[in-house]
Amino acid sequence: MGTVLIENIGTVASGDLAEPILNADSLFLAEGVIQEMNTHSHADLKIDACGSAVMPGLIDAHHHPYFGDFHPVVNAVGYTDRYMESGVTGLVSCGPYALPGHPLGPQAGVALGILSAQSFAKVRPSGIKVYGECMIVEPGMNEADFSRAAAGGVKRIKFLLPVPTAEMARNCVGWAHNHGMKVLTHCGGRKLVGEAKSIGEALQIIRPDVAAHLNGGPTPPYWEDAAWLLDETPCAADIVFGGNLGIAVKIVEKLMGQGRLDRLMLGTDSPTPGGMMAGGVAKFMAFLASTSDLGPEQAVCLATGVTARTHGLNTGVVKVGMPADLLIVSAKEGTPARDALEEIKDGNPPAVGAVIVDGELLHPPAHYPSGRYVGRSNPKQRPVIQRR
Ligand SMILES: [Zn+2]
């Protein structure tokens, strides 16, 4: 693995809410890791950022992956290339439900959870890190099922299908925690506990660690149910571009009021009836920053570092010692913005000039068809890449 020097950086958006902007004009990468800042060491690959910003690769906090880079729900082939080119370097699975024929029942649920965890531990479609370790709770599961899942690599469970009783829901939560797994719930549109009187009562029974697509996917929960989770429990939440965008803004404003943006992650809920939203996380950052008081550097954190910390992923921040999962981003040609952060605040996703995962330049590739991006995403400052 070669070394990389990125120099002439305009701004570093760190992905860390505690210090979202770093004072660094260069980064040195080796062994796939950020080794030094503000250095000019010799490297195998030199990238002149020409004043562009550097930020962590985006993480889609709410995704439903299939295997490899095919998705049968929307018959999408090769969609992960579009994700990667849009700056997404991580996809968090919120449940593998898309197997054709949708096998149901405890055994199938455990098998699919383990399959997803172990497949994506070895395969990176288009170079993207897919965190596939999620299992959907099936009615009738017992603690032995949870134990087998955890031993097979499952780290999250998701309530998506209704379970019949409050007792079973509470048991599943307890078993998950006993085996070190986080509890996610689908929010909105569906009562997840059969004997609960309402969708909201079911959420109160489960009390998830992560309220998944709290702005709906696609149907939003009642606002009082979403507010209850944020006011009365310590849960983290993800909000998705495929959900209700008005409620997403209310959730951002509520958590800003609490001073607790560290509870909020951005995702897409792909695939949705709208398809695979390859650029959805970047669009969502820009939408939220342009329609609320959210700072663009904070929006970056919700799409990177907060998600990594919440789900225990070793990525998501620009910091010495961390894996070099990075983007070089700028304003787009033809807009008034001067840099990537201004572009986000203006409501536009930044132009992605380069994508780096584990210190390797994935995009642009060495032989890139010229003009490919014309009219779509031309960076105002295009990085100059020198391979030795
Ligand atoms: Zn979902």
Side-chain angles (χ1 to χ4, degrees):
M1 186 175 289
T3 53
V4 181
L5 177 69
I6 309 172
E7 54 186 9
N8 279 328
I9 298 171
T11 308
V12 174
S14 71
D16 179 358
L17 280 169
E19 192 181 8
I21 302 279
L22 297 181
N23 184 17
D25 69 357
S26 65
L27 294 176
F28 180 69
L29 321 177
E31 305 292 322
V33 168
I34 302 169
Q35 300 282 357
E36 284 180 80
M37 294 188 186
N38 294 314
T39 174
H40 292 279
S41 309
H42 277 285
D44 305 319
L45 181 74
K46 199 159 108 176
I47 304 178
D48 181 346
C50 298
S52 294
V54 167
M55 57 182 266
L58 302 172
I59 306 171
D60 185 342
H62 193 126
H63 192 80
H64 295 282
Y66 191 61
F67 299 103
D69 63 357
F70 168 62
H71 213 298
V73 169
V74 285
N75 276 340
V77 179
Y79 70 94
T80 47
D81 280 355
R82 302 289 92 71
Y83 260 93
M84 186 273 286
E85 290 172 358
S86 303
V88 174
T89 61
L91 299 173
V92 176
S93 170
C94 285
Y97 65 78
L99 204 72
H102 197 172
L104 293 171
Q107 289 198 33
V110 173
L112 197 49
I114 294 174
L115 177 65
S116 174
Q118 297 195 5
S119 174
F120 286 115
K122 295 178 186 156
V123 171
R124 288 187 186 176
S126 307
I128 292 177
K129 297 178 179 180
V130 179
Y131 305 100
E133 314 92 344
C134 188
M135 175 178 82
I136 291 171
V137 176
E138 294 275 352
M141 278 182 170
N142 57 33
E143 182 159 19
D145 294 321
F146 279 63
S147 170
R148 269 195 306 134
V154 172
K155 295 179 181 165
R156 302 180 289 286
I157 64 156
K158 166 98 175 279
F159 283 90
L160 180 67
L161 309 165
V163 297
T165 66
E167 185 187 7
M168 176 169 179
R170 291 195 185 100
N171 282 342
C172 289
V173 171
W175 297 331
H177 289 161
N178 287 346
H179 292 281
M181 298 187 279
K182 275 205 158 57
V183 174
L184 282 59
T185 49
H186 178 95
C187 292
R190 184 181 300 157
K191 193 174 69 168
L192 294 171
V193 179
E195 68 181 10
K197 292 186 192 68
S198 66
I199 293 171
E201 189 183 308
L203 291 172
Q204 295 191 18
I205 289 167
I206 296 169
R207 295 180 76 102
D209 300 314
V210 177
H213 56 47
L214 189 55
N215 65 324
T219 319
Y222 287 20
W223 174 246
E224 49 270 34
D225 295 333
W228 184 88
L229 283 167
L230 296 177
D231 288 336
E232 305 299 330
T233 82
C235 73
D238 68 63
I239 53 177
V240 297
F241 199 50
N244 182 304
L245 298 181
I247 289 181
V249 174
K250 283 177 78 167
I251 290 169
V252 167
E253 287 171 344
K254 185 172 193 48
L255 288 173
M256 286 189 85
Q258 289 182 357
R260 289 300 310 273
L261 283 175
D262 62 320
R263 300 171 67 188
L264 190 63
M265 307 175 279
L266 306 187
T268 64
D269 202 22
S270 294
T272 72
M276 304 299 293
M277 289 177 278
V281 176
K283 286 282 276 185
F284 204 17
M285 283 195 306
F287 170 77
L288 292 171
S290 65
T291 53
S292 73
D293 290 335
L294 186 69
E297 70 287 358
Q298 292 175 310
V300 169
C301 298
L302 307 189
T304 59
V306 175
T307 305
R309 187 186 40 74
T310 302
H311 287 300
L313 318 175
N314 186 33
T315 185
V317 289
V318 181
K319 187 178 175 187
V320 169
M322 289 296 288
D325 300 338
L326 302 169
L327 308 180
I328 300 178
V329 285
S330 82
K332 288 176 169 174
E333 236 174 37
T335 71
R338 286 168 299 179
D339 62 24
L341 293 177
E342 276 190 19
E343 194 71 278
I344 292 170
K345 191 64 190 172
D346 284 351
N348 302 310
V352 177
V355 180
I356 295 167
V357 172
D358 283 343
E360 287 202 37
L361 182 67
L362 297 185
H363 176 82
H367 303 288
Y368 198 57
S370 65
R372 169 88 179 274
Y373 261 0
V374 169
R376 192 155 71 124
S377 186
N378 276 334
K380 206 165 264 183
Q381 294 106 22
R382 194 181 290 275
V384 177
I385 297 164
Q386 282 177 20
R387 293 175 169 86
R388 289 177 196 225

